[in-house]
Amino acid sequence: KMKKLVFVIALITLFSCKSKAPKTIVSTNDKTKTETLEKKDSIAKVENSRFVKVEKKEVSLAKVNLSYNLGKRLLESCSTSKFKVFNSSEATQSVIESTTVEKVSTVCAKINSRNGKFKELTLLDITYDVENDSYLFRYNIEFEKKYFKRELFITINSEGKMSSLKTKEIPKGPM
């Protein structure tokens, strides 16, 4: 009698624990499509979608190099404490106004205390924004200390200028 009870409980547990693929809802011009995604973090390439992941070879080398060089210049200034302000040929006016020496030094102090000195940038992916005709470059930032993971997001607009700049600490997932 006890064996049957344990068997039934095990059977119920087995059927109730089926895992399902994550679903993402992508809104497109008054239509809503549900796509099953293989990867948790990927953006679905759907007809009429706003964001599309692209390969590095599909983006002009000038935009890739610009995003890398501006990001590296900013992060290296955290080590040297000498920030060269962006000019109007490199960045939009809003980025130039928001990246003052004071703001950069405040952010650098926080990053240096938690992460140590900057080592290298590694391109993770590129997302094309169809609506704004811009590219979002996502970089992994490598530091001396490996306790905290940070990423750098740089948007290059259609004019070939940096239109946004953001760094974000990525929480570590479960082991």
Side-chain angles (χ1 to χ4, degrees):
K1 195 173 187 182
M2 188 62 113
K3 288 182 182 179
K4 287 184 183 179
L5 181 63
V6 170
F7 179 72
V8 169
I9 291 173
L11 201 58
I12 291 171
T13 305
L14 179 68
F15 285 115
S16 67
C17 292
K18 286 188 176 180
S19 63
K20 296 178 183 175
K23 291 187 176 184
T24 300
I25 297 174
V26 180
S27 178
T28 59
N29 300 342
D30 300 328
K31 296 178 186 175
T32 304
K33 295 182 180 181
T34 304
E35 292 287 324
T36 303
L37 298 178
E38 300 295 321
K39 284 181 145 182
K40 174 185 155 193
D41 199 69
S42 68
I43 297 173
K45 186 175 182 179
V46 181
E47 194 176 301
N48 297 329
S49 69
R50 179 177 175 182
F51 299 104
V52 180
K53 284 204 177 188
V54 294
E55 296 294 320
K56 183 178 177 181
K57 61 186 173 193
E58 297 176 41
V59 182
S60 76
L61 191 60
K63 289 184 180 185
V64 174
N65 288 340
L66 179 68
S67 69
Y68 178 81
N69 291 335
L70 293 177
K72 189 166 183 169
R73 183 171 98 191
L74 177 73
L75 291 166
E76 283 178 340
S77 71
C78 289
S79 301
T80 62
S81 300
K82 294 178 184 174
F83 174 63
K84 182 183 172 194
V85 180
F86 300 122
N87 62 44
S88 59
S89 67
E90 299 171 323
T92 60
Q93 191 60 36
S94 62
V95 172
I96 293 170
E97 291 170 0
S98 66
T99 53
T100 62
V101 175
E102 295 80 22
K103 286 182 182 179
V104 170
S105 63
T106 304
V107 171
C108 284
K110 179 183 174 186
I111 290 174
N112 285 342
S113 67
R114 290 179 62 87
N115 302 89
K117 288 191 174 192
F118 165 72
K119 288 173 112 179
E120 188 58 52
L121 277 180
T122 308
L123 182 64
L124 297 175
D125 61 46
I126 303 170
T127 305
Y128 177 65
D129 184 347
V130 177
E131 192 174 295
N132 295 334
D133 190 27
S134 61
Y135 291 92
L136 174 67
F137 296 86
R138 184 171 69 111
Y139 290 95
N140 179 48
I141 309 172
E142 294 176 35
F143 292 100
E144 285 179 334
K145 299 178 187 176
K146 305 281 184 198
Y147 304 122
F148 303 99
K149 183 179 177 182
R150 289 191 88 78
E151 289 182 356
L152 178 69
F153 299 87
I154 296 177
T155 304
I156 304 293
N157 65 14
S158 59
E159 299 171 7
K161 296 180 181 183
M162 179 172 51
S163 60
S164 75
L165 173 70
K166 179 177 128 181
T167 180
K168 180 178 176 185
E169 189 170 296
I170 307 299
K172 291 197 175 197
M175 289 186 194

